[in-house]
């Protein structure tokens, strides 16, 4: 079995939207979770510290780009993002139109 692709990414949380964002994530809609599972996303967590959100997940599929495109094309996920995106503020280093930015893995222990 091939080891999963480990992905970490970051974005800032707007202070005035923090409670809204946390409340949304206490009840993520089942169709959004199903879209993630269909795209071979496992072990997904989002952490918060000092206004920065850090997401971590493992990808177990064979075609990452295609599976990420399927998530982005999913209508339930698109509706979810209309709720969550206004709560977030991309990092200054994000490219134009980029939201979550991937972090470089600098250490891993199995």
């Amino acid at each position: 079995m091939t080891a999963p692709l480990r992905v970490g990414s970051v974005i800032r949380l707007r202070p005035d939207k923090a409670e809204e964002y946390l409340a949304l994530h206490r009840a993520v809609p089942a169709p959004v979770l199903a879209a993630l599972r269909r795209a071979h996303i496992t072990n997904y967590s989002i952490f918060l510290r000092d206004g920065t959100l850090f997401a971590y997940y493992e990808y177990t599929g064979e075609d990452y780009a295609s599976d990420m495109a399927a998530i982005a094309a999913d209508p339930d996920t698109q509706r979810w993002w209309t709720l969550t995106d206004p709560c977030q503020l991309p990092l200054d280093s994000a490219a134009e139109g980029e939201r979550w930015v991937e972090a470089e893995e600098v250490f891993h222990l199995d």
Side-chain angles (χ1 to χ4, degrees):
M1 181 169 115
T2 304
L5 172 67
R6 293 181 302 276
V7 179
S9 56
V10 294
I11 197 166
R12 291 185 306 230
L13 182 60
R14 292 182 186 277
D16 60 321
K17 298 282 192 170
E19 287 306 317
E20 179 181 347
Y21 188 83
L22 296 175
L24 286 166
H25 282 82
R26 285 191 287 272
V28 178
V32 172
L33 299 175
L36 292 169
R37 288 185 183 104
R38 280 192 308 274
H40 310 286
I41 300 296
T42 63
N43 199 22
Y44 190 2
S45 300
I46 299 175
F47 301 87
L48 173 62
R49 176 67 186 229
D50 296 335
T52 299
L53 294 164
F54 170 75
Y56 173 84
Y57 61 84
E58 295 172 356
Y59 174 74
T60 59
E62 300 294 325
D63 187 346
Y64 185 72
S66 177
D67 283 330
M68 295 305 101
I71 291 171
D74 177 66
D76 292 303
T77 299
Q78 291 173 356
R79 280 190 290 279
W80 173 247
W81 288 344
T82 67
L83 301 173
T84 59
D85 283 2
C87 301
Q88 302 163 344
L89 183 63
L91 299 184
D92 295 339
S93 61
E96 183 70 30
E98 190 176 32
R99 302 205 48 78
W100 287 86
V101 291
E102 287 193 13
E104 178 184 358
E105 182 177 304
V106 296
F107 177 79
H108 175 77
L109 172 69
D110 270 331

